Amino acid sequence: MAYTYDAKQLGAYLERLIREQVTASCWSWLQQQSDRYEKQYLPSYFNLSFTAISRFVPRKAVVLSAQDDEVLKSIRKDLTIRGWEIDRLCRAWWLLKLPATDEKPYTEQIENLFDAADVHDLVAVYVALPL
């Protein structure tokens, strides 16, 4: 299974946007979760971190420049995150951390989110599906 765009480039750009728009303590928490997950890709840890984002990341609007819009669209055709909140952006960034090299575990992991997530989490999953 492969992406039809450069997922690493998109993840890096989303990370930059997040870092610029959250507090230092919020970014520190996100980075700790990311570092821990990248050391050991455990499905349960992935789900816990995904759902915990709402406790650590504020629900405030993502601020984008026109240049941000253009960069995002150059990475992933027709991608727009206008109207998204920071916590949703963080969840999309988190989903891009999920290894997509093997289709079955990848789809199972996303399907597990549908079982464990609350409504706000589910909205984040649905809007991130094109990614």
Side-chain angles (χ1 to χ4, degrees), residues 76 95 110 114 124-131:
R76 175 71 168 99
L95 284 166
I110 291 175
F114 288 105
V125 174
Y126 278 112
V127 300
L129 283 177
L131 303 181

Side-chain angles (χ1 to χ4, degrees), residues 17-124:
L17 290 172
I18 293 165
R19 227 178 26 244
E20 291 174 351
Q21 298 186 48
V22 298
T23 64
S25 63
C26 180
W27 177 249
S28 176
W29 181 84
L30 287 166
Q31 197 60 55
Q32 288 171 359
Q33 305 318 297
S34 178
D35 292 346
R36 185 174 168 196
Y37 180 65
E38 289 175 4
K39 286 179 186 169
Q40 190 173 16
Y41 293 105
L42 294 174
S44 60
Y45 185 71
F46 182 87
N47 286 353
L48 284 170
S49 296
F50 182 87
T51 58
I53 286 173
S54 63
R55 292 193 304 267
F56 294 92
V57 179
R59 284 188 183 168
K60 65 176 189 175
V62 173
V63 177
L64 296 172
S65 68
Q67 181 181 5
D68 291 328
D69 279 331
E70 292 306 313
V71 170
L72 290 169
K73 287 177 184 173
S74 73
I75 298 170
R76 175 71 168 99
K77 186 178 185 228
D78 298 326
L79 174 63
T80 182
I81 60 172
R82 288 226 174 254
W84 284 24
E85 295 171 334
I86 296 291
D87 62 321
R88 185 177 298 168
L89 181 63
C90 289
R91 286 185 178 97
W93 170 73
W94 188 254
L95 284 166
L96 288 172
K97 294 187 171 301
L98 190 59
T101 53
D102 190 354
E103 185 175 357
K104 187 174 187 219
Y106 177 79
T107 56
E108 286 175 355
Q109 185 66 49
I110 291 175
E111 287 172 357
N112 286 338
L113 288 175
F114 288 105
D115 294 333
D118 67 16
V119 172
H120 197 71
D121 296 339
L122 289 173
V123 169

